[in-house]
Each structure stands twice: as C-alpha cells, then as structure tokens.
Amino acid sequence: MEPKQRDGDALPDAPWAKNRTMAAARAVFAVLALLACQSAALAERPLTVFAAASLREALEEIGDAFETRTGTAPVFSFAGTGTLARQVEAGAPADVFLSADAAWMDYTREAGAVRADTVFEFASNALVLVGPAGSPALNPDANAVKTRLAGHRLAIADPDTVPAGRYGKAALQSDGLWQAVSGALAPMENVRVALGAVARGDTPLGLVYRTDALVEPGVAILYTFPPDSHPRIRYLAASTASASHPGAAAFLAFLAGPEAREILRSFGFVADNGARLTQPAD
C-alpha cells in the first residue's frame, strides 16, 4: 500500500534518483577538474622560440631583456633553420619561428605552419672564411685556398639544406673558388657545427657568418666575402600557426624594437635595414 500524501508533503527521493544526482555531480566535478588541469598546464607552458643556430648569443641576451620588461622568460631551441622549419611544419610546440633565410620561411608559410601576417625581417649578416686562432691572413684565390687546405676539407653548413651553406656556395661561386673547393667540402648540420670544427682544428678553413666568428675565440677571420657575392642574408621572424602562448606577439614586437636591434648590433648583426625592418602585424 502506497503512503498517503498530504497536501504540502513531498514524497522522499527514490534511491535511483539520488544515485543519478550524485553521478551527475561527480561528472561535473571531473570536467571542472580536467579544465583546471588544462588551464594550469597552459599557464605553465613556456613561451617557446625556435631559432637559427647563428642567433644563439644575441637571442639569449634579448630573451633576458624581454623577461626583465615583461616577466616572461622565453625558452629557445636552436638548430639549423631547415631542421626547425620541418619541425614547425609537423606541429612542434613552438610559438615563434626565427629563420636565417627567406626560403625556409616561405616553406613554412606555404605549408600554413606560420601566420603569414606576422612575418617580418629583423636582421642581416656577413659571410667570412675562418681558420684556427693564429692562422695567417688568406688571399682568397683558388691556389691559395687549395694550398691552405693541403688535402684537408673546408667546413661549411650543408649547402643543400642550411641557409649559411646556400649563401656560402653562392659566395664561393661568385669569387671563382667553387671549383677549387667543391670536392673538398665537409658539409655540417648547421653553421655552429662548422665553426666548432675549425675552432678544434679539425679543418684548416671554414665558411661561417661573421657573427659566429666574433663569439668564438678559437677562430680567426681570414677573409670577408663582399655583400654582392651572395644573396642578401635575411633573418625573418613569425608567429607559428599553432602558437598558444599569450606572449608570442609581445616577443615579436620586442624583437622588432630598438632595444633588441641594439643587442643584435652589439653581436655584429646588421639590424638597421630601413624599410626592410618592418614591425610585425598585431
């Protein structure tokens, strides 16, 4: 016999109703906890910058200056531009990509891996031949270079994949040295590896950026290639398509600003290219 309900009285909840209410509450709690964890993870993830190896020292100082101004410390990953471009294309967790040439930036832009409206040029450089510290000056003609190599190899970033190598090949061709050295190259994965080979004395000659030679006491600059012997060296920056850190746009703006340009100049980069040095889009 069912209990008789009086006016104003409510029947007690059935057990199944209580169970359903508790299950719903637990589900809501689980979703909120998951969202909180995801938010915390995003908040803790650093501002990640993928950058060409030749930018290391200058960017580390720029990163310190940016942290002082904003409280955000960027984390840098340095490697050959081609390696980084392919990682960005594959969806690596980078917020900013800094390329040592236009070709690899175009590659990522065409792949939809960077935001096209954020691409801008921020620096240039020069190419030099270096030898181990204490090496005598070199007259850059084919016979002198072959004599200096003396059967050894010339360290160079890989001309097929690395911007410094592509610029270097063009410079060697322009100066009439390519035929003399093309069979004696030691292609390296990036320009800093080539620099290290010369500093250790593994090779008597290397072709690197001038800024690389300036930060390595183990090498001496033997010859500077004329600017018109190779395509103009262009460093470009962009926000990646997958950028999620709120500081990415601020870092690009800082990189285009006067403080970062002054730091770049202090490391030997050309950072006053007039109209070529444009502000990134918001």
Side-chain angles (χ1 to χ4, degrees), residues 20 31 41 60 68 173 177 254 261 268:
R20 187 169 62 181
V31 170
E60 287 174 343
T68 298
Q173 289 173 325
L177 300 173
F254 186 83
R261 288 203 300 271

Side-chain angles (χ1 to χ4, degrees), residues 97-108:
F97 173 48
L98 306 182
S99 171
D101 75 350
W104 280 115
M105 184 61 78
D106 289 343
Y107 174 88
T108 57

